[in-house]
Amino acid sequence: MRTVVLTMKASVIEMFLVLLVTGVHSNKETSKKMKRPKFTVPQINCDVKAGKIINPEFIVKCPAGCQDPKFHVYGTDVYASYSSVCGAAIHSGVLDNSGGKILVRKVAGLSGYKGSYSNGVQSLSLPRWRESFIVLESKPKKGVTYPSALTYSSSKSPAAQAGDTTKAYQRPPIPATTAQSVTLMQLLAVTVAVATPTILPRPSPSAASTTSIPRPEPVGQRSQEMDLWSTTTYTSSQNRPGADPGRVPKEELSTQSLEPVPLGDPNCKIDLSFLIDGSTSIGKRRFRIQKQLLAGVAQALDIGPAGPLMGVVQYGDNPATHFNLKTHMNSRDLKTAIEKITQRGGLSNVGRAISFVTKNFFSKANGNRSSAPNVVVVMVDGWPTDKVEEASRLARESGINIFFITIEGAAENEKQYVVEPNFANKAVCRTNGFYSFHVQSWFGLHKTLQPLVKRVCDTDRLACSKTCLNSADIGFVIDGSSSVGTGNFRTVLQFVTNLTKEFEISDTDTRIGAVQYTYEQRLEFGFDQYSSKPDILSAIKRVGYWSGGTSTGAAINFALEQLFKKSKPNKRKLMILITDGRSYDDVRIPAMAAHLKGVITYAIGVAWAAQEELEVIATHPARDHSFFVDEFDNLYQYVPRIIRNICTEFNSQPRN
């Protein structure tokens, strides 16, 4: 009997080897004949609108030159599908005007879209639209098959001019030889299982490549081969061990509608960084309580591209970013990421962490949006082991709103070890109590959740979002008299250009206006005429030299009436007057009127200008607001000093 069994085993093994060699040979031949198709990124033109493309999510390549205003964009961060795809990509900061690859994801329509100026593109407002989209960097999402050719809503595709195919992508058919090979292997597996528990070898990757669907995968992963191995062993996904019967097979993902992407709360559009304490002294239990507060904030904020975005930095000896603003685009993913954070240990160097965030965190590459206030919430167990005052001052001057949550401060016998007494008040944006929380015990930390969320979302009170460079109405009053001359007048305009370049220009940030005067006055452009830096610089360049006398007093009155009377109430009013001679009229009364109306006046005199007249025109103290230059060609040297004085004056305002 034993001889018969051994003979049967030998026959089965022989048969197995023959079939295996045949199958491998067949697969090799098939792979030679049919190479796996590569994923090619479709290219579109600048005028292609997202609404014309049916695919719910896709990767495309934009050409250069899509910054042109003729390619209309509607919205900010979340765009109406009536927008140019490539124009929206530039506006969002994902691309520049040189073009490149982007990932586009369709989302639900909004009841309104707000226009804004960003990255050289002026987007428009729209009251309502049926469909929206967001633009991301072209990093493929794991498990999603992106089309190599786009499907358009009409037969005549705008992409046809770009040489793109408009037919829907179809899965390549499975060759008959491969299907036969799989059947033989399954049959052989059953035969061998009856005779002996011999383990089958895995099919070669070359065989797998003939039946897999081409889709983007991170380098180094072999999920396609693993999936194919499963399908050759079992007849259906329902029969696989541990298979989820409700899971959609990967082969069908490209035809399934994607889940709606949470857009976030538009009433709380902030860019938020949490600085969490990872020092050794905090302990594991309190570190866990700290993470629970973060998870609660993530849930309460309703994270999304049209609302708040949140990142986390942990500090100890040195700070480290766990994830930035664009890493997680919804509250669920953010909470999951927070749960995985582990404690780093070390000292409690808060000042170093604040400097790190100021220099590195709020960048465009990390998802920072120019239209959203920057907010930092610093959590401190006890007290810092370094100084925070100087680092916090630089952060505030960069427009960052700093909040502090201090837990279990120093006891009376511990105060001798505190490096910087009253550190929280030296750090926060304002010392009026709005920006600071003190918690007596870690077990009471959860009580700060609701008031913290309410305060960080109160964008009208985020005072540190306003800086010396983004919160002024600046009116240039330019002497165009005959003594200046055409060449020197162009030098003056270059001086005005150099100053203007230092400011953040938009209808909600700093605005620029200009008046030219001789005996008469002329409004070159008002505060509300141009809302972007390129437009302002072009307007300055176009100002024509007038020639005539020098009536500086009348020019100041004209500027107060025609420029500063239309200034916004929440703007600092700055007048920068440039003249090359003594005025033919009195300047004292007009200058006093400007000072009484809250206009901060800088007077710059060149060549024959009268020093005592400049000091009368300038705001007190005159040494900080009046400047004399012997030659027009030396005007440029005073640009840094004027900017520094403007910012020093702004930052010296009381923080209460």
Side-chain angles (χ1 to χ4, degrees):
M1 184 67 183
R2 181 177 295 179
T3 305
V4 174
V5 172
L6 289 174
T7 305
M8 287 181 62
K9 285 185 177 181
S11 302
V12 170
I13 291 171
E14 185 179 354
M15 173 182 167
F16 162 73
L17 291 173
V18 171
L19 289 174
L20 182 61
V21 171
T22 305
V24 170
H25 179 73
S26 174
N27 286 332
K28 284 183 177 179
E29 291 299 318
T30 304
S31 63
K32 288 180 182 178
K33 293 178 181 178
M34 182 178 179
K35 292 184 179 180
R36 177 184 172 186
K38 293 183 179 180
F39 169 68
T40 55
V41 178
Q43 182 169 330
I44 60 174
N45 290 334
C46 297
D47 59 351
V48 174
K49 298 179 176 67
K52 290 290 184 182
I53 301 172
I54 294 176
N55 308 78
E57 185 170 336
F58 51 90
I59 294 176
V60 291
K61 184 177 181 181
C62 292
C66 295
Q67 203 175 37
D68 195 305
K70 69 182 180 181
F71 306 122
H72 295 161
V73 177
Y74 299 88
T76 301
D77 297 325
V78 179
Y79 303 95
S81 62
Y82 195 62
S83 307
S84 158
V85 172
C86 299
I90 297 173
H91 184 272
S92 67
V94 175
L95 285 187
D96 56 25
N97 200 36
S98 61
K101 298 175 185 177
I102 55 171
L103 171 61
V104 178
R105 185 178 299 159
K106 299 285 189 70
V107 295
L110 300 180
S111 58
Y113 300 83
K114 186 178 179 181
S116 65
Y117 180 83
S118 180
N119 303 308
V121 175
Q122 177 65 55
S123 69
L124 308 173
S125 297
L126 197 66
R128 180 186 297 273
W129 200 250
R130 62 183 178 272
E131 183 185 53
S132 311
F133 68 99
I134 57 176
V135 184
L136 305 167
E137 292 181 354
S138 59
K139 293 181 179 178
K141 189 175 179 181
K142 187 177 179 181
V144 176
T145 301
Y146 296 97
S148 294
L150 302 175
T151 305
Y152 290 85
S153 58
S154 60
S155 58
K156 292 185 178 180
S157 157
Q161 299 172 1
D164 190 21
T165 309
T166 60
K167 295 180 182 179
Y169 177 75
Q170 294 182 352
R171 179 182 175 185
I174 301 175
T177 54
T178 307
Q180 184 179 5
S181 172
V182 170
T183 305
L184 285 171
M185 292 294 288
Q186 289 176 332
L187 205 61
L188 180 59
V190 175
T191 307
V192 174
V194 172
T196 180
T198 305
I199 299 173
L200 285 175
R202 177 174 297 181
S204 66
S206 60
S209 65
T210 60
T211 57
S212 61
I213 302 173
R215 59 175 176 267
E217 291 264 7
V219 176
Q221 293 192 9
R222 300 174 60 195
S223 59
Q224 292 179 4
E225 297 168 17
M226 293 293 288
D227 289 344
L228 182 64
W229 173 244
S230 300
T231 55
T232 57
T233 308
Y234 302 97
T235 56
S236 69
S237 62
Q238 285 82 356
N239 294 329
R240 299 179 196 171
D244 180 2
R247 187 177 72 87
V248 180
K250 288 186 178 181
E251 291 81 3
E252 299 176 19
L253 276 175
S254 61
T255 62
Q256 299 294 319
S257 60
L258 299 173
E259 291 183 10
V261 177
L263 299 179
D265 181 5
N267 297 316
C268 182
K269 187 177 179 182
I270 60 172
D271 288 343
L272 171 64
S273 172
F274 256 94
L275 266 176
I276 63 173
D277 191 340
S279 59
T280 304
S281 62
I282 194 174
K284 292 183 179 180
R285 186 178 184 185
R286 288 178 289 185
F287 188 77
R288 187 166 59 251
I289 294 172
Q290 187 177 213
K291 291 202 303 179
Q292 289 170 355
L293 176 69
L294 263 66
V297 171
Q299 182 63 45
L301 281 180
D302 186 15
I303 301 296
L309 296 177
M310 177 173 154
V312 174
V313 173
Q314 182 181 170
Y315 68 87
D317 290 336
N318 294 296
T321 302
H322 283 284
F323 38 84
N324 60 34
L325 295 167
K326 65 181 183 181
T327 308
H328 303 293
M329 286 290 182
N330 60 70
S331 296
R332 182 188 61 189
D333 292 348
L334 185 57
K335 286 175 65 180
T336 302
I338 290 169
E339 291 172 4
K340 297 177 181 178
I341 294 175
T342 57
Q343 186 179 358
R344 293 171 60 84
L347 298 175
S348 183
N349 290 332
V350 177
R352 184 177 295 177
I354 293 173
S355 295
F356 172 82
V357 168
T358 303
K359 295 175 183 177
N360 302 294
F361 188 85
F362 293 107
S363 65
K364 185 183 294 185
N366 287 336
N368 185 53
R369 300 166 293 180
S370 58
S371 57
N374 296 157
V375 180
V376 170
V377 177
V378 185
M379 301 186 67
V380 182
D381 173 43
W383 60 90
T385 52
D386 65 348
K387 293 187 176 182
V388 303
E389 184 174 14
E390 180 63 15
S392 300
R393 181 185 67 80
L394 294 173
R396 294 193 303 268
E397 291 177 5
S398 299
I400 299 172
N401 297 274
I402 302 179
F403 288 77
F404 255 65
I405 301 176
T406 54
I407 308 103
E408 297 181 1
E412 196 63 37
N413 62 341
E414 295 175 322
K415 289 184 178 179
Q416 59 181 317
Y417 304 114
V418 176
V419 175
E420 190 175 31
N422 200 25
F423 63 87
N425 273 346
K426 294 176 181 178
V428 294
C429 181
R430 293 288 184 271
T431 58
N432 55 9
F434 181 79
Y435 291 88
S436 56
F437 299 84
H438 180 69
V439 183
Q440 296 294 336
S441 166
W442 277 93
F443 299 108
L445 184 61
H446 66 280
K447 295 179 182 178
T448 64
L449 174 58
Q450 292 304 324
L452 175 64
V453 169
K454 185 177 180 180
R455 292 184 196 183
V456 298
C457 289
D458 190 353
T459 53
D460 291 334
R461 295 188 65 179
L462 297 180
C464 281
S465 298
K466 294 300 177 185
T467 71
C468 58
L469 301 178
N470 70 6
S471 58
D473 279 345
I474 302 176
F476 288 97
V477 180
I478 305 168
D479 184 348
S481 60
S482 302
S483 58
V484 175
T486 304
N488 288 333
F489 187 77
R490 305 318 301 178
T491 303
V492 170
L493 292 184
Q494 185 59 53
F495 171 71
V496 172
T497 295
N498 292 343
L499 282 171
T500 300
K501 285 180 178 178
E502 298 293 325
F503 294 90
E504 298 172 26
I505 309 295
S506 79
D507 56 351
T508 56
D509 295 311
T510 291
R511 304 187 303 170
I512 305 291
V515 167
Q516 184 182 176
Y517 73 95
T518 57
Y519 283 127
E520 301 176 281
Q521 306 83 37
R522 181 168 73 194
L523 179 66
E524 300 293 352
F525 50 88
F527 293 136
D528 56 356
Q529 192 164 345
Y530 302 107
S531 59
S532 73
K533 188 176 291 188
D535 290 345
I536 287 289
L537 297 180
S538 296
I540 294 170
K541 192 175 182 180
R542 291 195 300 270
V543 172
Y545 176 49
W546 204 356
S547 185
T550 309
S551 294
T552 305
I556 294 172
N557 281 331
F558 181 85
L560 293 176
E561 186 66 27
Q562 297 298 320
L563 267 181
F564 292 100
K565 195 172 183 179
K566 300 176 182 179
S567 183
K568 292 183 179 180
N570 63 338
K571 297 285 187 182
R572 295 174 72 230
K573 302 174 183 66
L574 302 178
M575 181 191 298
I576 300 177
L577 185 144
I578 307 113
T579 181
D580 83 324
R582 184 180 295 275
S583 176
Y584 293 172
D585 61 354
D586 182 66
V587 299
R588 289 173 295 176
I589 295 176
M592 187 178 297
H595 301 160
L596 291 173
K597 292 181 179 179
V599 178
I600 301 168
T601 308
Y602 288 81
I604 294 96
V606 188
W608 300 279
Q611 184 71 43
E612 71 276 10
E613 210 168 66
L614 297 176
E615 292 177 357
V616 168
I617 295 169
T619 296
H620 181 78
R623 66 177 182 274
D624 295 331
H625 298 87
S626 67
F627 306 92
F628 180 81
V629 187
D630 54 354
E631 295 181 5
F632 284 93
D633 288 342
N634 293 330
L635 274 170
Y636 74 94
Q637 298 178 2
Y638 283 81
V639 170
R641 186 175 171 186
I642 293 169
I643 295 297
R644 184 169 62 249
N645 287 9
I646 289 172
C647 287
T648 300
E649 187 172 43
F650 177 88
N651 296 324
S652 65
Q653 298 175 90
R655 291 196 298 115
N656 52 27

